[in-house]
Amino acid sequence: MKSLTLNNGNTIPQFGLGTWKSKPGEVKSAVKSALKVGYKHIDCAAIYGNEKEVGEGLTESFAENVVKREDVFITSKLWNNRHYKNDVVPALKQTLQDLQLDYLDLYLIHWPVAFKPEVNFPEDASGLVSLSEVPLLETWYGMEQTVNEGLVKNIGVSNFSIKKIQNIISNGNIKPTMNQVECHPYLQQDKLLTYCQSNDIALTAYSPLGSKDRPDSIKQEDEPILLENEVIKKIAQKYQVTTAQILIQWAIERGTVVIPKSVSTERIKQNFEAQNISLDAEDMEQIKTLNRNYRYVDGSFFALPNSSYTVESIWS
Ligand code: A2P
């Protein structure tokens, strides 16, 4: 499996299992199947509400000698209601307890959006806290503490713009190793990817298959279906593989990390095998033309009326 070297010398496997939207009752077997197939990287988050079950899958896999802890790269993310500096280490400790781990490989600030500590998901502006009240830099100092306490090997951010990363680089003590963002042929993120690569920050592509299993509340009725794109279909036919496999290998060939989610044993295996495909320059050129800067996860659910957040401010 290919890996990338992070700016601190540590490495991350370029391919991993996504667990967003993987339901309790499904995610434990998904994690176990993935590790059996050879996955070496699992992407988690506290807000996915399934870390306890992911933890069971990990613990059983370690006990069954499927893989050793030190050979799996495990990521989790700080939820938006834990942005105050002193809340970061306790939030991480809860995640470690749920995942039954004594360290994480990577911990990310999930969103550049802050909530009140008692609010899990705000219904109106009163549940949000502005970034002038709890600056991202304050949260970052809390993230640094997780490294200094030996609980996390690498820290980074998610859904961050160039400007927001730049602020952390300029004022923080530890440079972020990663920015995890939505990235696929309809949202190629060229500018952000170039910025990250030239600043030695790796980029993880989330929703690489278009996340068609998102809840209806965060779905547009007329959204384009990435897995059914005609250009991707044609390339898939050329190699006798699936469109999902082309999307995964495209992300790897661009030098990003990719974390397709699946809870189906068959698709978990299929996605893993995408790494054996090799796309040529013409394929890459054709896929390049598909960009339309389309976000499936557009952040509008945080841009609540009368709050300090707008869709534009979240992404800028
Ligand atoms: P399932 O979990 O039933 O396999 P994303 O990673 O972009 O969030 O996309 C996840 C969605 O894509 C889920 O609905 C998942 O369903 C589906 N999926 C995962 N792998 C494949 C595949 N190889 N072919 C088709 N759909 C897939």
Side-chain angles (χ1 to χ4, degrees), residues 75-115:
T75 301
S76 183
K77 311 183 192 88
L78 177 81
W79 187 233
N80 303 351
N81 63 356
R82 293 288 178 270
H83 271 217
Y84 288 101
K85 183 173 170 237
N86 290 339
D87 287 343
V88 178
V89 168
L92 167 70
K93 284 186 175 164
Q94 182 63 56
T95 273
L96 288 174
Q97 191 183 321
D98 289 346
L99 292 171
Q100 301 183 40
L101 299 175
D102 51 19
Y103 71 91
L104 277 185
D105 294 279
L106 177 62
Y107 199 40
L108 305 175
I109 299 180
H110 204 150
W111 283 89
V113 175
F115 300 168

Side-chain angles (χ1 to χ4, degrees), residues 137 140-141 144 166-173:
L137 201 57
W140 188 250
Y141 291 143
E144 291 179 343
Q166 194 57 53
N167 177 38
I168 303 282
I169 295 178
S170 305
N171 299 295
N173 304 301

Side-chain angles (χ1 to χ4, degrees), residues 2-4 6 12-16 41 43 73 75 106 178-181 183 193 202-206 208 248 251-252 254-260:
K2 283 191 188 158
S3 59
L4 296 180
L6 301 171
I12 179 169
Q14 260 186 282
F15 175 82
H41 173 182
D43 183 85
F73 192 100
T75 301
L106 177 62
M178 173 65 68
N179 188 21
Q180 182 177 127
V181 293
C183 191
L193 180 58
L203 188 147
T204 296
Y206 77 65
I248 292 164
I252 293 174
R254 286 180 95 218
T256 64
V257 176
V258 65
I259 47 168

Side-chain angles (χ1 to χ4, degrees), residues 252-313:
I252 293 174
E253 300 220 359
R254 286 180 95 218
T256 64
V257 176
V258 65
I259 47 168
K261 170 265 176 184
S262 181
V263 290
S264 134
T265 306
E266 185 206 319
R267 288 188 287 275
I268 284 170
K269 189 160 177 284
Q270 182 196 119
N271 294 347
F272 186 79
E273 286 165 358
Q275 295 172 92
N276 302 329
I277 304 164
S278 174
L279 297 174
D280 62 31
E282 195 192 331
D283 305 326
M284 295 302 281
E285 209 46 54
Q286 279 182 14
I287 299 175
K288 204 178 175 55
T289 65
L290 300 180
N291 185 43
R292 45 170 109 169
N293 297 325
Y294 184 85
R295 285 185 199 278
Y296 288 104
V297 183
D298 68 4
S300 56
F301 34 84
F302 298 139
L304 297 168
N306 305 315
S307 78
S308 60
Y309 296 95
T310 61
V311 170
E312 212 217 317
S313 78

